[in-house]
Amino acid sequence: MDKFQASNRRLALAAACATAMIFIAPLASAQSAWPGKPVRIVVPFAPGGTTDILARAIAPELTRAFGQSFVVENRAGAGGNVGADLVAKSPADGYTLLMGTVGTHGINKSLYSKMPYDPQKDFAPVTLVAGVPNVMVMNAERARALNINTVPDFSKYAKSHPGQFNMASSGNGTSIHLAGELFKARTGIFMTHIPYTGSGPALLGMVSGQVDVMFDNLPSAMPQIKGGKLKAFAVTSAQRSGAAPELPTVEEAAGLKGFEASSWFGLLAPAGTPADIVSRIQQETAKALASPAIKEKLLAQGAIPGGNTPAEFAKMIEAEIAKWAPVVKASGAKVD
C-alpha cells in the first residue's frame, strides 16, 4: 500500500467515525437529558388501594429528585393484568413505569391460563417499594350483630350457616383474592368471591355492607379499622405486624399451620429500558424510602419499606413466581 492509499484510508476511517458520532451523540444526549417530560407510574388497580397509596407516596419524592413530574395513572382490570400489559408494551424510554404487585408479577402467571405478558421477560425490575401483610376484616356492624369477634367465631358461624357470607377482593389473582381462597381451602368454609377493580372499591363495598369479609392489604384497610367501620381479626403474614401488634396471625388465631399470604409492591419498567435510567430511578426511590418521613409513614400503615437493587428485585420476582405456583394449585383458584 503506497502513501496515497494509506492517506485515503485514514481519511475514510475518520469520516466514518465522524458519521457514527453524528448518530450516537443525539442518543447519548437524549439519555443524559432524561427525564425531559413527565413520567407516568401506572397503577394497575383503581384508586384507594395499597398499590395506589404507595405510588402516590413515592411519586412526589421522585418529582423532587428529578425536577420533572411523576404522574400516577390508574389502569384497572383483570387482576392487574390490564395495566401491567400496558406498561409491558410501552416504549422502553424511561417515561412509563409500573407499580407492580405480587399479583401481577408473582401470582397471575400460575392463576391465569392465558397471560398477555411475561412477568420476567417483558419487564426491567427497578426496586421493591414495600412489603405488607394482609388483614382479615369484616363489616363491623354485621360482626357485632352476629357476635363475631375472632377468627374462630367467624369460622364457627360460617360453617353452621353455609353460603351466608361473601368475600370481597381487589380483583382476580391478587394476593387479597388468593389469601381468601387459601383460607377457604384450609378451613372448608364456603364464601362467594366478589372481585372488584381494586381495594378502594372493595372497601367501599365492605363499609356499605354489600360484602362481608375481605383479606385486604393492611395499609388500605387501616383507616377503616381505626374508624370502626371494619372489624379486624388477624393478619395473614407469618409474624404479627408492628403497625397492629394486637392482631394475631391467622396461624395463631385459627391453628392453620404455615398459613401465609402477604403482599409486595415494586417499580418496574418495560424490558429494554436503558440501565442507567433504571439505576437512577432505583437510587432515588431507595433514598426516599430510607428518609425518616416516608419510612415512618409507611411503617405506621403496616408497610415495610424496600429499596433493593434491580438485580435483587429480579431474583425476588423469580422466587415469588416459584413460591406462589403451589399455593395457587393448593387453593384451587383458577381464572380462564
Side-chain angles (χ1 to χ4, degrees), residues 30-284:
Q31 288 190 15
S32 63
W34 180 93
K37 62 180 181 179
V39 177
R40 63 174 174 168
I41 301 177
V42 175
V43 170
F45 298 99
T50 299
T51 318
D52 187 66
I53 290 170
L54 291 173
R56 293 182 190 280
I58 206 68
E61 303 301 315
L62 294 176
T63 295
R64 280 190 284 272
F66 290 107
Q68 187 59 261
S69 297
F70 279 68
V71 182
V72 175
E73 180 179 317
N74 298 87
R75 291 294 189 95
N81 282 356
V82 171
D85 187 48
L86 170 68
V87 175
K89 293 176 172 58
S90 293
D93 55 10
Y95 289 100
T96 302
L97 303 173
L98 174 73
M99 182 60 80
T101 71
V102 63
T104 61
H105 283 75
I107 296 172
N108 287 4
K109 187 174 183 178
S110 297
L111 188 73
Y112 284 79
S113 57
K114 293 181 180 180
M115 285 284 286
Y117 62 88
D118 187 298
Q120 293 174 285
K121 295 179 181 179
D122 292 339
F123 292 88
V126 179
T127 189
L128 174 72
V129 173
V132 305
N134 292 358
V135 58
M136 182 181 180
V137 292
M138 186 175 178
N139 175 279
E141 187 175 335
R142 188 159 195 216
R144 283 193 296 271
L146 299 176
N147 197 28
I148 296 176
N149 297 296
T150 64
V151 176
D153 289 344
F154 178 87
S155 298
K156 182 179 180 180
Y157 187 92
K159 287 179 178 180
S160 60
H161 298 81
Q164 286 198 16
F165 288 142
N166 50 38
M167 179 187 76
S169 84
S170 54
N172 287 316
T174 61
S175 70
I176 295 170
H177 170 208
L178 201 59
E181 292 293 345
L182 189 61
F183 181 82
K184 288 163 61 178
R186 293 289 301 274
T187 61
I189 292 171
F190 173 77
M191 291 182 283
T192 302
H193 175 220
I194 310 294
Y196 287 78
T197 57
S199 284
L203 286 169
L204 289 176
M206 286 285 295
V207 171
S208 66
Q210 295 175 356
V211 280
D212 304 305
V213 67
M214 185 176 176
F215 291 77
D216 193 29
N217 302 141
L218 185 56
S220 51
M222 188 71 83
Q224 301 298 342
I225 294 171
K226 290 182 176 179
K229 300 294 184 180
L230 296 179
K231 173 67 177 179
F233 296 140
V235 291
T236 64
S237 48
Q239 292 85 32
R240 295 192 181 202
S241 169
E246 73 282 1
L247 292 178
T249 65
V250 170
E251 179 176 349
E252 290 174 326
L256 301 179
K257 187 174 178 60
F259 189 101
E260 182 182 5
S262 298
S263 301
W264 54 260
F265 308 82
L267 288 174
L268 302 104
T273 299
D276 63 324
I277 293 177
V278 170
S279 178
R280 289 172 64 190
I281 298 171
Q282 184 274 328
Q283 290 173 18
E284 293 301 336

